[in-house]
Amino acid sequence: MLPKAEAAYFAIADISGYTNFLAAVELDHAQDIIADFMDTVVKALRPPFRLAKFEGDAAFVYTTAEAIDGSLLQDAIEGAYFKFRRRLRNVRQASTCECQACVAMGDLDFKFVIHHGEMVKQKMGGREELAGRDVILVHRLLKNTVGEKIGGRAYALYSDAAIRAMGVDPVAQGLIAHHETIDVIGDVTLWARDLEAAWRQEDARTRMQVTRGDAYAMLEFDIAAPRQTVWEFFTVPGQWQKWWDADAIVEDSGKGQEPLYARRPYRR
């Protein structure tokens, strides 16, 4: 029997800066970092998405849900990006490694392309593959010029077909109209969300600030150094050990797991 066509939402989470990162750093730590960040994003996309396959520097996911709330789908995309940014921040703060890969991990970012259309599932080489015009289109949309319009590498790019299927008003949500011309397929209307701007808003909203009135105790003294340098010496384990009188420092996370890439033990 011929495979039956199914309607689906497709999404690709693609690592920005992947090629330059691998070309300039040590491969062993680089692969660990890439795998960790990709795993963070893919887990955050489930549900509503399920993994179709990893494609080098990208993860191809989809959902065949007949009816899906547009806000839920958008929240899944933005939530995955926010989890990546938090993971990046946590790993950088916990790392004592000074290799080029660990130093340069901040150059990595994510972009997402989302489309709605039809697909068929085929067995190829003993595994299930998705095929169809819309599967090709969502992959072709990875090569676009939207970064030039929003001035950054972190964005969610929705096809107009996805927007209509979700039943959302892109103008009311502040999405940026965009167009691309794809060979054979033709002109495609798109809508973009600046994820870097969304992250700044999220980070400011969720940031916790301890005021003088909330503090249990306070120590005040002047240090002849820039604020950023002082903050790193108080929070980065490798810097902390330079001034803290201890043989070793071991950090225990809330889940009882040691932070990734910490080469020396430290406690906080």
Side-chain angles (χ1 to χ4, degrees), residues 66-255:
E66 294 183 3
I68 186 169
D69 182 79
S71 297
L72 174 63
L73 191 145
Q74 290 176 291
D75 287 347
I77 297 295
E78 294 190 16
Y81 182 70
F82 294 162
K83 286 188 176 181
F84 156 69
R85 290 298 295 262
R86 293 188 184 100
R87 180 60 177 161
L88 173 62
R89 180 174 60 195
N90 293 342
V91 170
R92 292 181 69 182
Q93 290 180 346
S95 176
T96 61
C97 179
E98 298 180 356
C99 75
Q100 289 182 328
C102 291
V103 171
M105 72 174 76
D107 295 334
L108 298 172
D109 218 325
F110 267 89
K111 61 179 180 286
F112 300 80
V113 176
I114 305 95
H115 178 51
H116 182 269
E118 289 189 331
M119 68 169 188
V120 292
K121 295 179 180 178
Q122 298 177 331
K123 287 289 186 179
M124 300 177 63
R127 59 175 296 168
E128 186 177 78
E129 296 283 347
L130 308 186
R133 175 184 182 277
D134 293 301
V135 173
I136 295 172
L137 175 58
V138 71
H139 283 84
R140 295 294 298 275
L141 288 174
L142 281 173
K143 303 297 183 181
N144 59 67
T145 59
V146 71
E148 301 171 9
K149 178 173 290 188
I150 66 174
R153 300 181 302 170
Y155 57 82
L157 186 62
Y158 298 88
S159 70
D160 194 60
I163 291 293
R164 286 187 279 107
M166 290 189 294
V168 301
D169 184 342
V171 177
Q173 292 194 0
L175 300 185
I176 303 168
H178 186 67
H179 295 271
E180 293 284 345
T181 300
I182 307 298
D183 292 343
V184 181
I185 294 173
D187 293 336
V188 181
T189 300
L190 304 158
W191 299 90
R193 168 83 72 191
D194 185 342
L195 291 181
E196 174 63 32
W199 163 248
R200 289 196 297 267
Q201 294 177 358
E202 172 70 10
D203 190 40
R205 184 181 65 84
T206 58
R207 183 174 299 170
M208 296 182 62
Q209 181 177 1
V210 179
T211 65
R212 286 177 174 267
D214 297 328
Y216 177 76
M218 292 189 299
L219 295 175
E220 296 187 51
F221 46 88
D222 295 328
I223 299 177
R227 289 185 178 183
Q228 180 62 31
T229 301
V230 175
W231 178 251
E232 289 180 357
F233 269 78
F234 269 95
T235 60
V236 177
Q239 301 286 54
W240 195 355
Q241 196 164 13
K242 292 178 181 179
W243 62 271
W244 189 263
D245 186 18
D247 295 332
I249 303 173
V250 178
E251 180 179 52
D252 296 321
S253 69
K255 295 183 179 180

